[in-house]
């Protein structure tokens, strides 16, 4: 058959094709806590200074520095205390030369003062205070706008929004900002053998785990993911469901039905649309892949149904697509080099992804052992893995003790 004889696409070729088919989503306005983990989609400048007014960095006494220039423990300078200023004072007080005011951290510096003597450098007097250390002009004073001046850029479009950035936005009075939104993803499991979790499977029935696998993986990658649930291997029902989900989705994901079996309905039904391409990718697991667009250009991934294949396909193709939609520059997970604890055979010309357990060595490096055989149906051993071991196309054997590339499957918020 011509299709069988055709050269398989490499993983990198297929990924490049996928990413070129992923556009962008219009920015949306969100409140600050909903911005956590997203990228800013506007340049933010401040229209208030930070700090907002000259204030004291210490609990102490506001002074004119020249008045206490020569103060020392041996020669204290005694000043009359003409008032108290607490944080929250609603107006700026003032004081004349040769006088002082008791001031609290964050309270507005009075007119006439240019420095603050720390409480520790005084006798703490209430009516009169004895100052035992001199200060320079400006000492212990936070100047209005020294952190951020009015009109200064606070954050640039593209900035990743974590606690520090969200704090700054709050400090300058922005409670809503434009961000790149979380892509909305709907996951659809296909297969007439599938039943919903919670029901006891009769003979021949399989509980749908892929929609949970993929929806949680998509959430972890930053998407706003939902499970549609199960669709049987039926051409018309599949097309109806896809149609019904189009408006709610920035990406659609199906699993199952993309091999060459007689009931591989996803492949049959979507091939006819002509906008989704089904290919064989030189990888194991995850060889059959479908990708394209349906409706008004909504990207759709048609992943194989075996759970391990679904996981690997998600990691290799869907996760980078989600990150692209989020506006992230780095689309790939960070990989590490680890010492293989066993010899791993691999087929020439195929990139193999094996599940592994990554160990931190006492010496600082990593080592990795495999868990589960090459079978793509092994859900229990998949649950023990914490990484994927990547064996490159040209490698036919990773010898025990040699270095191998490993992708830790770290959770985003752990
Ligand atoms: P398929 O890709 O449809 O040929 O399915 C391959 C294998 O994966 C079959 O053994 C299916 O029963 C199984 N499978 C397909 N979809 C799911 C799913 N959503 N959850 C768990 N197993 C599945
Ligand atoms: Mg099937």
């Amino acid at each position: 058959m011509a299709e069988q004889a055709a050269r398989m696409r490499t993983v990198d070729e297929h990924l490049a094709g996928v990413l070129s088919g992923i556009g962008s989503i219009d920015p949306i306005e969100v409140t600050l806590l909903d911005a956590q983990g997203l990228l800013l989609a506007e340049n933010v400048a401040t229209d208030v200074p930070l700090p907002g007014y000259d204030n004291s960095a210490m609990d102490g006494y506001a002074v004119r520095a020249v008045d206490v220039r020569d103060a020392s423990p041996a020669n204290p300078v005694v000043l009359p205390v003409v008032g108290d200023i607490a944080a929250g004072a609603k107006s700026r007080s003032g004081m004349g030369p040769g006088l002082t005011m008791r001031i609290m951290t964050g309270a507005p510096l009075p007119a006439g003062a240019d420095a603050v003597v720390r409480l520790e450098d005084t006798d703490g007097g209430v009516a009169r205070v004895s100052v035992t250390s001199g200060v320079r002009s400006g000492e212990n004073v936070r100047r209005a706008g020294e952190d951020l001046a009015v009109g200064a850029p606070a954050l640039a479009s593209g900035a990743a929004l974590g606690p520090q950035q969200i704090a700054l936005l709050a400090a300058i009075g922005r409670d809503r900002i434009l961000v790149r939104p979380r892509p909305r993803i709907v996951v659809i499991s296909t297969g007439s053998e599938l039943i919903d979790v919670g029901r006891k499977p009769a003979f021949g029935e399989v509980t749908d785990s892929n929609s949970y696998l993929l929806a949680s993986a998509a959430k972890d990658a930053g998407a706003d993911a939902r499970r549609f649930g199960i669709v049987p291997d039926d051409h018309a029902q599949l097309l109806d469901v896809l149609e019904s989900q189009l408006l709610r989705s920035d990406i659609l994901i199906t699993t199952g039905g993309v091999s060459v079996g007689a009931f591989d309905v996803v492949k049959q039904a979507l091939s006819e649309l002509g906008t989704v391409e089904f290919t064989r990718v030189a990888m194991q697991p995850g060889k059959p892949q479908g990708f394209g667009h349906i409706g008004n250009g909504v990207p759709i991934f048609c992943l194989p149904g075996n759970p391990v294949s679904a996981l690997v396909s998600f990691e290799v193709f869907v996760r980078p697509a989600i990150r692209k939609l989020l506006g992230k520059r780095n689309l790939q997970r960070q990989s590490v080099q680890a010492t293989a604890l066993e010899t791993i055979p691999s087929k020439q010309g195929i990139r193999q992804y094996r599940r592994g357990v990554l160990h931190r060595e006492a010496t600082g490096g990593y080592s990795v052992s495999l868990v589960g055989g090459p079978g793509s149906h092994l859900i229990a051993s998949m649950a023990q893995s914490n990484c994927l071991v990547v064996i490159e196309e040209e490698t036919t054997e990773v010898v025990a003790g040699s270095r191998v590339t490993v992708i830790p499957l770290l959770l985003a918020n752990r």
Side-chain angles (χ1 to χ4, degrees):
M1 251 186 342
E3 195 215 23
Q4 290 297 314
R7 185 179 76 90
M8 280 190 282
R9 206 176 271 180
T10 67
V11 171
D12 293 337
E13 285 165 351
H14 189 61
L15 178 60
V18 163
L19 291 177
S20 71
I22 299 290
S24 62
I25 313 175
D26 288 341
I28 57 165
E29 200 178 62
V30 295
T31 56
L32 285 188
L33 283 185
D34 286 337
Q36 165 80 6
L38 298 176
L39 298 193
L40 189 62
E42 60 172 316
N43 290 314
V44 175
T46 180
D47 55 10
V48 292
L50 286 185
Y53 48 88
D54 293 351
N55 69 86
S56 178
M58 294 284 174
D59 291 326
Y61 293 83
V63 296
R64 295 197 318 164
V66 290
D67 291 344
V68 295
R69 193 174 45 204
D70 300 323
S72 69
N75 281 305
V77 174
V78 176
L79 301 172
V81 181
V82 296
D84 279 341
I85 315 164
K90 293 286 178 290
S91 63
R92 190 164 188 211
S93 33
M95 59 177 231
L99 302 175
T100 186
M101 295 182 85
R102 200 157 64 142
I103 191 165
M104 316 303 153
T105 304
L109 193 73
D114 65 351
V116 171
V117 176
R118 300 186 308 158
L119 186 62
E120 296 89 321
D121 294 328
T122 70
D123 66 354
V126 176
R128 295 153 60 79
V129 66
S130 176
V131 175
T132 53
S133 175
V135 281
R136 286 170 286 105
S137 176
E139 200 165 337
N140 299 325
V141 173
R142 304 156 167 173
R143 289 284 171 210
E146 73 175 19
D147 192 9
L148 205 60
V150 171
L155 290 172
S157 183
L161 299 171
Q164 306 94 305
Q165 295 72 33
I166 289 173
L168 173 58
L169 291 163
I172 64 172
R174 287 295 302 269
D175 57 349
R176 302 183 72 83
I177 40 158
L178 281 181
V179 294
R180 302 219 151 271
R182 297 189 184 284
R184 297 162 308 155
I185 295 191
V186 175
V187 181
I188 300 163
S189 288
T190 74
S192 295
E193 74 280 29
L194 299 177
I195 59 165
D196 263 323
V197 62
R199 279 186 46 205
K200 194 172 162 55
F203 178 80
E205 292 182 333
V206 173
T207 303
D208 164 34
S209 55
N210 283 352
S211 64
Y212 289 92
L213 169 80
L214 295 167
S216 58
K219 272 190 183 177
D220 186 63
D224 176 5
R226 282 195 311 117
R227 297 173 48 252
F228 169 82
I230 302 164
V231 181
D233 291 317
D234 179 274
H235 201 121
Q237 277 193 55
L238 175 68
L239 290 180
D240 277 357
V241 166
L242 287 175
E243 170 111 45
S244 75
Q245 298 305 308
L246 277 173
L247 280 179
R248 309 156 183 259
S249 312
D250 298 307
I251 291 181
L252 284 164
I253 304 176
T254 67
T255 69
V258 294
S259 317
V260 291
F263 298 101
D264 283 328
V265 161
V266 175
K267 184 173 177 178
Q268 293 161 14
L270 292 182
S271 293
E272 287 169 18
L273 296 182
T275 56
V276 182
E277 193 186 4
F278 290 85
T279 40
R280 295 182 312 137
V281 180
M283 65 191 285
Q284 205 272 316
K287 183 166 76 171
Q289 294 288 334
F291 176 75
H293 300 85
I294 60 173
N296 200 10
V298 177
I300 180 168
F301 288 88
C302 302
L303 309 183
N306 272 308
V308 177
S309 312
L311 171 71
V312 169
S313 303
F314 179 91
E315 283 296 327
V316 176
F317 303 119
V318 186
R319 201 171 188 283
I322 292 173
R323 291 182 64 83
K324 183 174 179 191
L325 282 180
L326 284 165
K328 308 261 187 197
R329 268 179 288 276
N330 201 346
L331 303 185
Q332 300 297 338
R333 282 193 190 269
Q334 205 85 35
S335 63
V336 299
Q337 294 295 307
T339 304
L341 293 175
E342 62 203 90
T343 293
I344 314 167
S346 187
K347 219 193 263 173
Q348 162 89 32
I350 301 283
R351 188 180 301 175
Q352 200 182 174
Y353 293 88
R354 296 288 297 267
R355 288 127 286 143
V357 179
L358 188 63
H359 314 272
R360 194 90 164 111
E361 298 284 287
T363 51
Y366 292 104
S367 64
V368 67
S369 49
L370 296 186
V371 58
S376 299
H377 60 296
L378 302 169
I379 301 177
S381 51
M382 178 170 78
Q384 285 164 9
S385 67
N386 64 5
C387 66
L388 294 176
V389 180
V390 186
I391 305 160
E392 295 300 334
E393 286 82 345
E394 296 321 311
T395 305
T396 52
E397 186 180 61
V398 174
V399 178
S402 63
R403 305 288 276 169
V404 66
T405 300
V406 173
I407 305 172
L409 300 178
L410 297 176
L411 286 177
N413 50 12
R414 189 161 70 184

